[in-house]
Amino acid sequence: MTKKYGLHGKLTATDGNKDALASILVKASKLVFTMKGCHVYFISEDKNDPAAVWVTEVWDSKEDHDNSLQVPGVRELITQAMPLLAEKPQKAQELDILGGALR
C-alpha cells in the first residue's frame, strides 16, 4: 500500500449545538468525499465528551486534502459551523498512514 495522508481532529460545540455542528460536518463530508484522493471522511461522536465531534480523513496526499477546501459549498459550511464552536478546533493530528484495510 502506498503511504496515505490522514487527519484526525476534535471540534467542541457550544452547549446544545453538537447535533447542529455534526449535521454541518456530515454535509461537508458528502461534498469533500467526491474530491480526488479522498478515501475516508467520517464524523464521529465522542462517548466521553457530549459536546465533542471528531473528523477523521484519509487522503492520497496533503495536497489533495488542501484542495478539498476549495470545493464549492465547503467554505459556506465552515462559516456556518464556526459560531457553533465552544473553542478553536484542536489542531488535527496529521498521520502518515502506513497500511491497513483501506479502499
Side-chain angles (χ1 to χ4, degrees):
M1 175 181 198
T2 306
K3 196 184 286 189
K4 305 287 185 202
Y5 175 75
L7 289 172
H8 187 60
K10 178 180 176 181
L11 293 92
T12 303
T14 54
D15 288 341
N17 283 316
K18 185 196 69 167
D19 290 342
L21 176 61
S23 177
I24 290 167
L25 293 169
V26 168
K27 288 177 190 173
S29 75
K30 291 177 183 178
L31 292 173
V32 171
F33 192 68
T34 65
M35 288 292 299
K36 172 188 166 293
C38 185
H39 295 276
V40 170
Y41 197 107
F42 61 87
I43 312 306
S44 307
E45 290 183 309
D46 188 325
K47 291 186 183 255
N48 297 315
D49 183 347
V53 180
W54 289 83
V55 178
T56 305
E57 308 172 52
V58 177
W59 295 87
D60 281 337
S61 67
K62 183 175 184 328
E63 180 181 19
D64 286 340
H65 166 265
D66 292 347
N67 289 338
S68 74
L69 299 175
Q70 305 309 315
V71 173
V74 169
R75 289 274 179 210
E76 291 81 0
L77 290 169
I78 291 170
T79 300
Q80 290 175 25
M82 293 307 287
L84 303 178
L85 296 176
E87 57 192 44
K88 255 180 110 169
Q90 290 184 9
K91 180 162 173 44
Q93 282 184 297
E94 288 186 286
L95 309 168
D96 288 328
I97 298 168
L98 304 175
L102 183 67
R103 292 180 206 240

